[in-house]
Amino acid sequence: MPEAPMNAPFPMPAGPIGGPAAWFGPDMDRDRSWAMTYTGAELDELDAAIHAFESSGRDLGSITAESFPLPLLKPKLDAMLHELLHGRGFALLRGFDVSRYSIAQAAAAYLGVGAHLGGFRSQNAKGHLLGHVKDLGLDIRNPTVRYYQTNRKLEFHTDSCDVVGLLCLKTAKWGGESRIASSVTLHDEMLRRRPDLRAALFTPMPTDRRGEVPPGMKPWFDVPVFSWHEGQLTTIYAGQYIRSAQANFPDCPRLTALEHEAIDLLDEMANDPAINLGMEFLPGDMQFVHNHNMLHSRGDFEDFAELDKRRHLLRLWLCPKQARPLPPLFAQRYGSLEIGNRGGIVTKETTLKFVLEAQ
């Protein structure tokens, strides 16, 4: 794969992008049509599908849209996927009583719903297709530790897949609110305020892989924060890992002062409550976010002392067959760019698996 040219000219939209994905948090807080509730019949169908799967003796890896049919719920899931990919870019499904089920049963339900949205992708070098967002007491100063394994605040970022989903099993004692922000809005606002910094975000920036390095690749990848490709703004961003690449890899390309200022302003704007949307998770909530035009984050939290009460979310990285085309440079992070078969993290040691305990 050719090296990404640094500071080379890249295409940009001529002006503001707008559209349904360009929203502001306070407006979304007033119009909560993105928060959908299961009907009683849909919950009964999901419950029957859970028990049919359990009775079959099959393992989680066998779950597909075909093997986990949800005919009543499918129209709602199809509409939600269209809204994710072509509308506001996020959705919440509420009303699943997760307390009624074991973690294995809840995972089956979540994978069954997720399978109707896209294929599952590996979320780390261990090959976990079902991720666990939980404080494992790890030290973020360790260069292989990722923020979701701690109780530290997550800065606004994207994940390396088309759609990321979270199922809330248990909430923290306090904190841990989910926050999302439209990267289309951030682009348009930055164009309005600082067009010079907007342009800086269309040049590749080295991003730390946190020790999860695919064969033949460097310990960082070079992709612009903003890419204008086939008439769409596509975003890939992890400011914490752009900064750690600068600190940890002396041989990676150095950011210019303008590029540092650009990501600082991007973070400042994403954290502005006039732009972002806060979302409190309840047990059983399923949140889905389109990574290509949304950033997401999480606040610090304090957990319960009792192990069985601690905050715990299940996560899916999904690859829909209806997803958008991606810029060629994304191959450094996504591997294949084939729609319906891309994204995730795979190294030489990766073995794909589903696990029911955080590790």
Side-chain angles (χ1 to χ4, degrees), residues 51-71:
H51 291 295
F53 167 76
E54 194 170 41
S55 299
S56 73
R58 294 180 285 116
D59 60 29
L60 294 173
S62 71
I63 292 179
T64 64
E66 294 70 31
S67 69
F68 204 96
L70 297 168

Side-chain angles (χ1 to χ4, degrees), residues 153-227:
K153 174 184 176 181
L154 282 170
E155 294 182 5
F156 279 92
H157 66 284
T158 62
D159 289 343
S160 297
C161 59
D162 296 310
V163 171
V164 57
L166 291 170
L167 165 62
C168 179
L169 297 178
K170 294 178 181 177
T171 57
K173 186 176 180 180
W174 64 260
E177 178 190 46
S178 171
R179 293 186 297 161
I180 58 175
S182 163
S183 56
V184 180
T185 298
L186 292 168
H187 167 273
D188 290 355
E189 282 296 293
M190 188 168 281
L191 174 62
R192 183 177 66 84
R193 300 182 197 184
R194 289 291 304 272
D196 57 331
L197 299 186
R198 189 277 298 237
L201 295 176
F202 282 87
T203 59
M205 295 188 184
T207 302
D208 188 353
R209 296 183 188 270
R210 303 301 288 177
E212 299 176 320
V213 185
M217 295 289 185
K218 300 172 295 189
W220 68 87
F221 59 90
D222 299 302
V223 178
V225 173
F226 291 150
S227 294

Side-chain angles (χ1 to χ4, degrees), residues 110 121-124 128-129 131-133 146-149 154-167 178-181 183 207-208 210 212 221 223-225 234-241 281 287-298 313-320 326 330 333-335 342-345:
Y110 185 40
R121 309 305 292 180
S122 171
Q123 300 174 37
N124 53 35
H128 291 173
L129 297 167
H132 295 260
V133 179
R146 288 160 65 186
Y147 277 83
Y148 71 83
Q149 298 170 313
L154 282 170
E155 294 182 5
F156 279 92
H157 66 284
T158 62
D159 289 343
S160 297
C161 59
D162 296 310
V163 171
V164 57
L166 291 170
L167 165 62
S178 171
R179 293 186 297 161
I180 58 175
S183 56
T207 302
D208 188 353
R210 303 301 288 177
E212 299 176 320
F221 59 90
V223 178
V225 173
T234 296
T235 304
I236 184 168
Y237 182 62
Q240 289 165 311
Y241 297 155
F281 279 150
Q287 179 201 63
F288 296 95
V289 174
H290 188 209
N291 276 300
H292 304 319
N293 56 18
M294 294 291 125
L295 306 183
H296 59 278
S297 76
R298 178 199 75 204
L313 308 179
L314 298 183
R315 185 177 61 191
L316 290 177
W317 282 8
L318 299 171
C319 182
L326 292 178
F330 272 60
R333 184 59 169 168
Y334 275 61
R342 66 189 186 194
I345 296 169

